[in-house]
PDB file of all heavy atoms in Angstrom:
ATOM      1  N   ASP Q  93      61.730 152.330 -70.741  1.00  0.00           N
ATOM      2  CA  ASP Q  93      61.913 152.078 -69.312  1.00  0.00           C
ATOM      3  C   ASP Q  93      60.664 152.513 -68.552  1.00  0.00           C
ATOM      4  O   ASP Q  93      60.735 153.230 -67.560  1.00  0.00           O
ATOM      5  CB  ASP Q  93      63.147 152.843 -68.832  1.00  0.00           C
ATOM      6  CG  ASP Q  93      63.787 152.197 -67.624  1.00  0.00           C
ATOM      7  OD1 ASP Q  93      63.280 151.145 -67.165  1.00  0.00           O
ATOM      8  OD2 ASP Q  93      64.782 152.746 -67.128  1.00  0.00           O
ATOM      9  N   ILE Q  94      59.531 152.048 -69.033  1.00  0.00           N
ATOM     10  CA  ILE Q  94      58.244 152.538 -68.531  1.00  0.00           C
ATOM     11  C   ILE Q  94      58.042 152.281 -67.041  1.00  0.00           C
ATOM     12  O   ILE Q  94      57.518 153.136 -66.328  1.00  0.00           O
ATOM     13  CB  ILE Q  94      57.069 151.968 -69.368  1.00  0.00           C
ATOM     14  CG1 ILE Q  94      55.794 152.755 -69.070  1.00  0.00           C
ATOM     15  CG2 ILE Q  94      56.904 150.485 -69.171  1.00  0.00           C
ATOM     16  CD1 ILE Q  94      54.679 152.513 -70.047  1.00  0.00           C
ATOM     17  N   ASP Q  95      58.469 151.147 -66.538  1.00  0.00           N
ATOM     18  CA  ASP Q  95      58.253 150.854 -65.120  1.00  0.00           C
ATOM     19  C   ASP Q  95      58.977 151.844 -64.211  1.00  0.00           C
ATOM     20  O   ASP Q  95      58.454 152.233 -63.169  1.00  0.00           O
ATOM     21  CB  ASP Q  95      58.664 149.425 -64.786  1.00  0.00           C
ATOM     22  CG  ASP Q  95      57.616 148.412 -65.196  1.00  0.00           C
ATOM     23  OD1 ASP Q  95      56.435 148.790 -65.337  1.00  0.00           O
ATOM     24  OD2 ASP Q  95      57.974 147.237 -65.385  1.00  0.00           O
ATOM     25  N   ASP Q  96      60.186 152.271 -64.598  1.00  0.00           N
ATOM     26  CA  ASP Q  96      60.907 153.259 -63.791  1.00  0.00           C
ATOM     27  C   ASP Q  96      60.145 154.577 -63.730  1.00  0.00           C
ATOM     28  O   ASP Q  96      60.083 155.222 -62.680  1.00  0.00           O
ATOM     29  CB  ASP Q  96      62.307 153.494 -64.338  1.00  0.00           C
ATOM     30  CG  ASP Q  96      63.295 152.422 -63.898  1.00  0.00           C
ATOM     31  OD1 ASP Q  96      62.938 151.585 -63.041  1.00  0.00           O
ATOM     32  OD2 ASP Q  96      64.416 152.420 -64.417  1.00  0.00           O
ATOM     33  N   HIS Q  97      59.548 154.975 -64.840  1.00  0.00           N
ATOM     34  CA  HIS Q  97      58.829 156.248 -64.876  1.00  0.00           C
ATOM     35  C   HIS Q  97      57.476 156.152 -64.175  1.00  0.00           C
ATOM     36  O   HIS Q  97      57.052 157.113 -63.516  1.00  0.00           O
ATOM     37  CB  HIS Q  97      58.710 156.736 -66.311  1.00  0.00           C
ATOM     38  CG  HIS Q  97      60.058 156.945 -66.927  1.00  0.00           C
ATOM     39  ND1 HIS Q  97      60.897 157.971 -66.568  1.00  0.00           N
ATOM     40  CD2 HIS Q  97      60.736 156.220 -67.830  1.00  0.00           C
ATOM     41  CE1 HIS Q  97      62.026 157.880 -67.235  1.00  0.00           C
ATOM     42  NE2 HIS Q  97      61.951 156.821 -68.007  1.00  0.00           N
ATOM     43  N   LEU Q  98      56.817 155.012 -64.295  1.00  0.00           N
ATOM     44  CA  LEU Q  98      55.578 154.812 -63.535  1.00  0.00           C
ATOM     45  C   LEU Q  98      55.882 154.810 -62.040  1.00  0.00           C
ATOM     46  O   LEU Q  98      55.156 155.422 -61.252  1.00  0.00           O
ATOM     47  CB  LEU Q  98      54.900 153.504 -63.945  1.00  0.00           C
ATOM     48  CG  LEU Q  98      54.270 153.499 -65.332  1.00  0.00           C
ATOM     49  CD1 LEU Q  98      53.883 152.075 -65.730  1.00  0.00           C
ATOM     50  CD2 LEU Q  98      53.056 154.413 -65.385  1.00  0.00           C
ATOM     51  N   SER Q  99      56.957 154.160 -61.651  1.00  0.00           N
ATOM     52  CA  SER Q  99      57.357 154.138 -60.248  1.00  0.00           C
ATOM     53  C   SER Q  99      57.706 155.543 -59.757  1.00  0.00           C
ATOM     54  O   SER Q  99      57.345 155.929 -58.637  1.00  0.00           O
ATOM     55  CB  SER Q  99      58.546 153.194 -60.064  1.00  0.00           C
ATOM     56  OG  SER Q  99      58.910 153.124 -58.714  1.00  0.00           O
ATOM     57  N   ALA Q 100      58.385 156.329 -60.584  1.00  0.00           N
ATOM     58  CA  ALA Q 100      58.719 157.710 -60.211  1.00  0.00           C
ATOM     59  C   ALA Q 100      57.451 158.525 -59.995  1.00  0.00           C
ATOM     60  O   ALA Q 100      57.367 159.335 -59.059  1.00  0.00           O
ATOM     61  CB  ALA Q 100      59.600 158.354 -61.276  1.00  0.00           C
ATOM     62  N   ALA Q 101      56.453 158.327 -60.851  1.00  0.00           N
ATOM     63  CA  ALA Q 101      55.174 159.038 -60.695  1.00  0.00           C
ATOM     64  C   ALA Q 101      54.489 158.620 -59.398  1.00  0.00           C
ATOM     65  O   ALA Q 101      53.959 159.472 -58.663  1.00  0.00           O
ATOM     66  CB  ALA Q 101      54.267 158.774 -61.884  1.00  0.00           C
ATOM     67  N   LEU Q 102      54.487 157.328 -59.105  1.00  0.00           N
ATOM     68  CA  LEU Q 102      53.868 156.845 -57.871  1.00  0.00           C
ATOM     69  C   LEU Q 102      54.589 157.404 -56.641  1.00  0.00           C
ATOM     70  O   LEU Q 102      53.946 157.838 -55.680  1.00  0.00           O
ATOM     71  CB  LEU Q 102      53.867 155.320 -57.841  1.00  0.00           C
ATOM     72  CG  LEU Q 102      52.966 154.635 -58.863  1.00  0.00           C
ATOM     73  CD1 LEU Q 102      53.255 153.133 -58.903  1.00  0.00           C
ATOM     74  CD2 LEU Q 102      51.500 154.901 -58.569  1.00  0.00           C
ATOM     75  N   ARG Q 103      55.921 157.420 -56.667  1.00  0.00           N
ATOM     76  CA  ARG Q 103      56.691 157.976 -55.545  1.00  0.00           C
ATOM     77  C   ARG Q 103      56.404 159.475 -55.378  1.00  0.00           C
ATOM     78  O   ARG Q 103      56.295 159.968 -54.247  1.00  0.00           O
ATOM     79  CB  ARG Q 103      58.182 157.752 -55.742  1.00  0.00           C
ATOM     80  CG  ARG Q 103      58.614 156.342 -55.498  1.00  0.00           C
ATOM     81  CD  ARG Q 103      60.140 156.188 -55.588  1.00  0.00           C
ATOM     82  NE  ARG Q 103      60.513 154.812 -55.454  1.00  0.00           N
ATOM     83  CZ  ARG Q 103      60.506 154.127 -54.319  1.00  0.00           C
ATOM     84  NH1 ARG Q 103      60.135 154.712 -53.213  1.00  0.00           N
ATOM     85  NH2 ARG Q 103      60.857 152.860 -54.293  1.00  0.00           N
ATOM     86  N   PHE Q 104      56.293 160.179 -56.491  1.00  0.00           N
ATOM     87  CA  PHE Q 104      56.001 161.604 -56.445  1.00  0.00           C
ATOM     88  C   PHE Q 104      54.626 161.844 -55.818  1.00  0.00           C
ATOM     89  O   PHE Q 104      54.468 162.723 -54.965  1.00  0.00           O
ATOM     90  CB  PHE Q 104      56.078 162.197 -57.856  1.00  0.00           C
ATOM     91  CG  PHE Q 104      56.047 163.691 -57.887  1.00  0.00           C
ATOM     92  CD1 PHE Q 104      57.194 164.428 -57.625  1.00  0.00           C
ATOM     93  CD2 PHE Q 104      54.876 164.370 -58.182  1.00  0.00           C
ATOM     94  CE1 PHE Q 104      57.175 165.819 -57.651  1.00  0.00           C
ATOM     95  CE2 PHE Q 104      54.843 165.753 -58.220  1.00  0.00           C
ATOM     96  CZ  PHE Q 104      55.998 166.482 -57.953  1.00  0.00           C
ATOM     97  N   LEU Q 105      53.638 161.060 -56.233  1.00  0.00           N
ATOM     98  CA  LEU Q 105      52.305 161.168 -55.627  1.00  0.00           C
ATOM     99  C   LEU Q 105      52.353 160.860 -54.135  1.00  0.00           C
ATOM    100  O   LEU Q 105      51.725 161.548 -53.325  1.00  0.00           O
ATOM    101  CB  LEU Q 105      51.317 160.220 -56.319  1.00  0.00           C
ATOM    102  CG  LEU Q 105      50.816 160.624 -57.691  1.00  0.00           C
ATOM    103  CD1 LEU Q 105      49.973 159.504 -58.293  1.00  0.00           C
ATOM    104  CD2 LEU Q 105      50.015 161.920 -57.621  1.00  0.00           C
ATOM    105  N   HIS Q 106      53.109 159.837 -53.775  1.00  0.00           N
ATOM    106  CA  HIS Q 106      53.227 159.447 -52.373  1.00  0.00           C
ATOM    107  C   HIS Q 106      53.821 160.580 -51.538  1.00  0.00           C
ATOM    108  O   HIS Q 106      53.291 160.931 -50.477  1.00  0.00           O
ATOM    109  CB  HIS Q 106      54.079 158.175 -52.264  1.00  0.00           C
ATOM    110  CG  HIS Q 106      54.262 157.710 -50.863  1.00  0.00           C
ATOM    111  ND1 HIS Q 106      55.461 157.839 -50.193  1.00  0.00           N
ATOM    112  CD2 HIS Q 106      53.401 157.138 -49.990  1.00  0.00           C
ATOM    113  CE1 HIS Q 106      55.333 157.352 -48.979  1.00  0.00           C
ATOM    114  NE2 HIS Q 106      54.087 156.919 -48.824  1.00  0.00           N
ATOM    115  N   ARG Q 107      54.900 161.174 -52.017  1.00  0.00           N
ATOM    116  CA  ARG Q 107      55.523 162.291 -51.289  1.00  0.00           C
ATOM    117  C   ARG Q 107      54.560 163.473 -51.182  1.00  0.00           C
ATOM    118  O   ARG Q 107      54.455 164.118 -50.138  1.00  0.00           O
ATOM    119  CB  ARG Q 107      56.831 162.716 -51.962  1.00  0.00           C
ATOM    120  CG  ARG Q 107      57.974 161.752 -51.689  1.00  0.00           C
ATOM    121  CD  ARG Q 107      59.318 162.306 -52.111  1.00  0.00           C
ATOM    122  NE  ARG Q 107      59.402 162.629 -53.528  1.00  0.00           N
ATOM    123  CZ  ARG Q 107      59.754 161.784 -54.488  1.00  0.00           C
ATOM    124  NH1 ARG Q 107      60.060 160.540 -54.180  1.00  0.00           N
ATOM    125  NH2 ARG Q 107      59.810 162.179 -55.736  1.00  0.00           N
ATOM    126  N   ALA Q 108      53.853 163.760 -52.275  1.00  0.00           N
ATOM    127  CA  ALA Q 108      52.882 164.862 -52.261  1.00  0.00           C
ATOM    128  C   ALA Q 108      51.751 164.574 -51.273  1.00  0.00           C
ATOM    129  O   ALA Q 108      51.301 165.475 -50.557  1.00  0.00           O
ATOM    130  CB  ALA Q 108      52.328 165.096 -53.665  1.00  0.00           C
ATOM    131  N   LEU Q 109      51.303 163.339 -51.230  1.00  0.00           N
ATOM    132  CA  LEU Q 109      50.246 162.945 -50.298  1.00  0.00           C
ATOM    133  C   LEU Q 109      50.684 163.152 -48.854  1.00  0.00           C
ATOM    134  O   LEU Q 109      49.947 163.718 -48.045  1.00  0.00           O
ATOM    135  CB  LEU Q 109      49.870 161.482 -50.530  1.00  0.00           C
ATOM    136  CG  LEU Q 109      48.996 160.819 -49.465  1.00  0.00           C
ATOM    137  CD1 LEU Q 109      47.605 161.432 -49.462  1.00  0.00           C
ATOM    138  CD2 LEU Q 109      48.925 159.333 -49.682  1.00  0.00           C
ATOM    139  N   LEU Q 110      51.891 162.717 -48.538  1.00  0.00           N
ATOM    140  CA  LEU Q 110      52.361 162.843 -47.158  1.00  0.00           C
ATOM    141  C   LEU Q 110      52.632 164.290 -46.775  1.00  0.00           C
ATOM    142  O   LEU Q 110      52.437 164.678 -45.620  1.00  0.00           O
ATOM    143  CB  LEU Q 110      53.615 161.995 -46.950  1.00  0.00           C
ATOM    144  CG  LEU Q 110      53.409 160.478 -47.067  1.00  0.00           C
ATOM    145  CD1 LEU Q 110      54.710 159.748 -46.821  1.00  0.00           C
ATOM    146  CD2 LEU Q 110      52.321 159.982 -46.132  1.00  0.00           C
ATOM    147  N   SER Q 111      53.058 165.112 -47.726  1.00  0.00           N
ATOM    148  CA  SER Q 111      53.369 166.507 -47.397  1.00  0.00           C
ATOM    149  C   SER Q 111      52.132 167.396 -47.375  1.00  0.00           C
ATOM    150  O   SER Q 111      52.124 168.414 -46.687  1.00  0.00           O
ATOM    151  CB  SER Q 111      54.410 167.075 -48.365  1.00  0.00           C
ATOM    152  OG  SER Q 111      53.881 167.189 -49.655  1.00  0.00           O
ATOM    153  N   ASN Q 112      51.080 167.011 -48.105  1.00  0.00           N
ATOM    154  CA  ASN Q 112      49.871 167.832 -48.142  1.00  0.00           C
ATOM    155  C   ASN Q 112      48.645 166.944 -48.386  1.00  0.00           C
ATOM    156  O   ASN Q 112      48.073 166.946 -49.479  1.00  0.00           O
ATOM    157  CB  ASN Q 112      49.996 168.902 -49.230  1.00  0.00           C
ATOM    158  CG  ASN Q 112      48.931 169.953 -49.108  1.00  0.00           C
ATOM    159  OD1 ASN Q 112      48.055 169.884 -48.237  1.00  0.00           O
ATOM    160  ND2 ASN Q 112      48.980 170.940 -49.979  1.00  0.00           N
ATOM    161  N   PRO Q 113      48.226 166.195 -47.367  1.00  0.00           N
ATOM    162  CA  PRO Q 113      47.094 165.269 -47.533  1.00  0.00           C
ATOM    163  C   PRO Q 113      45.810 165.932 -48.003  1.00  0.00           C
ATOM    164  O   PRO Q 113      45.024 165.324 -48.734  1.00  0.00           O
ATOM    165  CB  PRO Q 113      46.902 164.665 -46.139  1.00  0.00           C
ATOM    166  CG  PRO Q 113      48.173 164.914 -45.411  1.00  0.00           C
ATOM    167  CD  PRO Q 113      48.774 166.147 -46.019  1.00  0.00           C
ATOM    168  N   SER Q 114      45.589 167.197 -47.637  1.00  0.00           N
ATOM    169  CA  SER Q 114      44.338 167.855 -48.016  1.00  0.00           C
ATOM    170  C   SER Q 114      44.218 168.007 -49.534  1.00  0.00           C
ATOM    171  O   SER Q 114      43.104 168.023 -50.061  1.00  0.00           O
ATOM    172  CB  SER Q 114      44.211 169.211 -47.329  1.00  0.00           C
ATOM    173  OG  SER Q 114      45.233 170.081 -47.764  1.00  0.00           O
ATOM    174  N   THR Q 115      45.331 168.094 -50.239  1.00  0.00           N
ATOM    175  CA  THR Q 115      45.295 168.146 -51.709  1.00  0.00           C
ATOM    176  C   THR Q 115      44.625 166.897 -52.265  1.00  0.00           C
ATOM    177  O   THR Q 115      43.946 166.955 -53.289  1.00  0.00           O
ATOM    178  CB  THR Q 115      46.726 168.259 -52.279  1.00  0.00           C
ATOM    179  OG1 THR Q 115      47.316 169.442 -51.785  1.00  0.00           O
ATOM    180  CG2 THR Q 115      46.728 168.271 -53.787  1.00  0.00           C
ATOM    181  N   PHE Q 116      44.789 165.794 -51.596  1.00  0.00           N
ATOM    182  CA  PHE Q 116      44.222 164.519 -52.035  1.00  0.00           C
ATOM    183  C   PHE Q 116      42.841 164.271 -51.423  1.00  0.00           C
ATOM    184  O   PHE Q 116      42.243 163.228 -51.661  1.00  0.00           O
ATOM    185  CB  PHE Q 116      45.170 163.372 -51.679  1.00  0.00           C
ATOM    186  CG  PHE Q 116      46.419 163.366 -52.502  1.00  0.00           C
ATOM    187  CD1 PHE Q 116      47.447 164.262 -52.247  1.00  0.00           C
ATOM    188  CD2 PHE Q 116      46.562 162.488 -53.562  1.00  0.00           C
ATOM    189  CE1 PHE Q 116      48.590 164.279 -53.025  1.00  0.00           C
ATOM    190  CE2 PHE Q 116      47.696 162.498 -54.349  1.00  0.00           C
ATOM    191  CZ  PHE Q 116      48.717 163.406 -54.074  1.00  0.00           C
ATOM    192  N   GLY Q 117      42.368 165.237 -50.612  1.00  0.00           N
ATOM    193  CA  GLY Q 117      41.062 165.107 -49.974  1.00  0.00           C
ATOM    194  C   GLY Q 117      41.104 164.291 -48.693  1.00  0.00           C
ATOM    195  O   GLY Q 117      40.072 163.780 -48.259  1.00  0.00           O
ATOM    196  N   LEU Q 118      42.288 164.184 -48.087  1.00  0.00           N
ATOM    197  CA  LEU Q 118      42.445 163.399 -46.865  1.00  0.00           C
ATOM    198  C   LEU Q 118      42.854 164.291 -45.702  1.00  0.00           C
ATOM    199  O   LEU Q 118      43.438 165.358 -45.895  1.00  0.00           O
ATOM    200  CB  LEU Q 118      43.526 162.323 -47.058  1.00  0.00           C
ATOM    201  CG  LEU Q 118      43.318 161.290 -48.151  1.00  0.00           C
ATOM    202  CD1 LEU Q 118      44.507 160.342 -48.205  1.00  0.00           C
ATOM    203  CD2 LEU Q 118      42.032 160.512 -47.937  1.00  0.00           C
ATOM    204  N   THR Q 119      42.575 163.826 -44.491  1.00  0.00           N
ATOM    205  CA  THR Q 119      43.083 164.487 -43.294  1.00  0.00           C
ATOM    206  C   THR Q 119      44.482 163.953 -43.020  1.00  0.00           C
ATOM    207  O   THR Q 119      44.892 162.923 -43.582  1.00  0.00           O
ATOM    208  CB  THR Q 119      42.186 164.186 -42.082  1.00  0.00           C
ATOM    209  OG1 THR Q 119      42.268 162.780 -41.789  1.00  0.00           O
ATOM    210  CG2 THR Q 119      40.736 164.599 -42.335  1.00  0.00           C
TER     211      THR Q 119
END
């Protein structure tokens, strides 16, 4: 079920980006 797990990783990155943009090097 690789697509579900890839999607979960992408969603996790997205949530992390929105909660702490500086971790990703963004303002």
Side-chain angles (χ1 to χ4, degrees):
D93 206 1
I94 194 166
D95 281 338
D96 279 351
H97 300 289
L98 289 169
S99 182
L102 292 169
R103 285 185 185 285
F104 191 80
L105 285 174
H106 180 253
R107 284 192 300 272
L109 168 68
L110 294 181
S111 67
N112 193 358
S114 64
T115 300
F116 290 76
L118 300 179
T119 65

